[in-house]
Amino acid sequence: MFKRALFQIHWFLGITAGIVLAVMGITGASISFEDEITEALSPRLFAPGAPAAPDLTPDQLIAKVQADHPGYYVSRLDWQMDRDLSHGVRMSPNEGRGRLEGQVDRATGAWLGEPAGAGFFHLMDQLHRWLALPGGGNGIGRQITAFSAISLIFFALSGLYLRWPRQALDWRAWFVLDLRKTGRNLWRALHVVIGTWVLLFYLLSALTGLWWSYDWYRQGVVYALTGKAPGEEAQRGERKKDGIAPRPAIDPSWQAFRRATDDRYVWVRLTRPAPSQPVKTISFDAREADARHLRQTDRFSYDPKTAKLKKSDLYDRRPLGVIITQSVLELHRGAFFGMPGRIALMLTSLTMPLFTVTGFLLYLSRRRRKKEAKALDVVDVSTLVGGPEEWLVAYASQTGTAEIRARNAALALGKGGIRSRVLPVGKLTAAMLAEARHLLIVVSTYGEGEPPDMARGFTSRLMRGPSLDLSHLHYGLLAIGDREYPDFCGYGIAVDDWLRRSGAMPLFTMIKMDHIDAEAEHAWHDALHGVGAADATRGQTALSFAAWRLVSRTALNPDSEALPAFHLQFEPSAEASPLWKAGDIVEVQPHNAPQAVDAMIAAHSSDGELIEAREELRAHYAGVILPDSPATISMDHARSLRPLPAREYSAASITADGTLDLVVRQVRRDDGGLGIGSGWLTAHMPVGSETLMRLRPNPGFRTEEGNDSVAMILIGNGTGIAGLRAHLKEQAHAGNKGHWLLFGERQRAHESFFDEELQRWMNDGTLARLDRSFSRDADCGRYVQDLLSDKADIVRDWIDRGAIILVCGSLDGMAQGVHDALSAALGESLLENLAENGRYKRDVY
């Protein structure tokens, strides 16, 4: 929860303060080398050459300049010891006007003017400090830039926390930028990796920038670093009652300073108070030629009456805290660290718009994905106004496909003017069926002709209960299954048989649909139109396939006796929509093994037409069901081969991870070859290459609203760790703690999948309990269902306190064993009730 809240604040400030920071970054970079640029643009202004006449003294020079500019007084004189250079002067108005800055001739005091570009740099300075808004330093602009500086500190620290990599000790995870990424992943990489590069520089810029934003901040920093509060004299001098203070001569002190220092300094600054303020000392800030920055100066203070040295304050002898408070500007622009520091601060300032742009792109991408997600969410069509009769639209779904199709059908009915009520079959009652006149039902088959979990109660209560008279009911049924199973659409056939035996009359012949079945799709479309539905979808189908790049493939059980299992990580291409939730299904479009494709091509070596289309056929054969007798195939037959069906896997990560993770175990056929799907993902597909994938919402294994923060009992085995890991990641990301994982595998030494993550979740409280069994270890020898039987009392206690049960893993052995153990602990009736209410969900295969 904390991380989610931090992220929300981070992006909200990013789309507000981010624009201001981009302006401040560009303008700050533009004035980083203002002195060097202006001197290069006006070389004769700054270096007119040594005059023939002797230099005027400070008093003479000040008098001449002030005489030429009535109403102004010289508030600062920058004296260059090199006679080839002119002096710099700042003149402040006695009242009402803006100050003047420029160069003066050292021998005559003549005003030489401002350098080229002075107006531009003045504007950049105003934009940088207060956005050039009315009121200047006392207006709203100063408050905006101050708030933005505070936001920058928050961005740096919260961004560091939000991007903290799983492998925190691996420097590559922090600093290596992978420019092979595309789209949203590239934007995020630029945002977080370059953000890590510049983090310390941004903290320095923000912490020093606040010096000019708030007096309390400046006073606090001075006190913290020096142990002293800023003195009254440093803030405001005393005024003479008559408004004009006497101006003592500077020249005697100047001559004493030059004799004492033997002209070893190259630059000296004299700062003069306003005419209304008395002069208590005459001070010279002097800088040597090898100084790192402009504020690396020694100060010499003289008595204006006697021209005797009162105090020498040498830079090298000052405490570090004093040096810092006197060099805040140099720290802010990086000059405190010499030329490398100035260049670094300029470059990091120039990158500020990068974070604004990438932040906006990520924000817009997030909004687009949320919009797409809404199209994948369930649709409530119960309020659609149509005819007087309300149809029932029921679904029995395990992985979400049946529910999606049922809700699409209800929406289509509504567009055709037919009111409908959508509900899972577990919510159907005998009374509802007695009142209804029309029922549209979409059911999937699970395993070997079994009902989905949500339909178990319906099956035992209605289908196997007392007979019903449904002779008044007209129904239409769509049965979804997999032709690879012998009991194709077995549960749908059982529902159809029950409805007929109960006297219900079919609106159309039951439609059986496989994963990719154009004929069944067309029949379903026509059937809906035949009962009065219109065309209506709201994206309630899986997203289209898009390219995902394999970025990592790691063996999870090296040296194990079991078949190898792998952890794969994918990043989306620009056209992919990387948005999913824990529990969702990943459909992968596999490719045939290269050897099988080569064998097909080789079998046609004598067919001229096929030889000419060799490369076209190679790409084609990679994605279709290959015939048993390739030598007899013609070109037309080759092009008519059916595409390989997609393989389904449980998502093993969440969107916030930045990668879509899978856990895949290799499958071996009877001939010893690898299965098509597992072989493609774990052996044939090169790391760095792309494959077509899509995400499908799976309401049957998502946590439902209201159950997303309650305690979970997660049960699984083998590669079932994938779906359970995604749920644990989702809970950890939301800050929800106190869950229980029961997991089974073969050997502790080789199959302790994601052990470091599990131990971390135990340490931070995400997991309150972790129980594992290893069936091939002599000291264990048990399965995960045995753990449940041993801890039946604890399971009952957790269920009584509102916990939900999530099971993920193999259908053979584990799923039924776990179900039997849960049934023994809780009772079959309670287990069916839990399934109907979304508290017992399974993703088994």
Side-chain angles (χ1 to χ4, degrees), residues 590-604:
H591 287 187
N592 286 306
Q595 299 89 332
V597 174
D598 290 341
M600 287 290 299
I601 298 296
H604 306 317

Side-chain angles (χ1 to χ4, degrees), residues 455-477:
R456 287 178 178 271
F458 166 80
T459 304
S460 61
R461 188 174 61 252
L462 294 180
M463 292 177 61
R464 296 173 185 169
S467 61
L468 300 176
D469 179 10
L470 301 179
S471 57
H472 60 283
L473 182 68
H474 293 78
Y475 75 94
L477 193 151

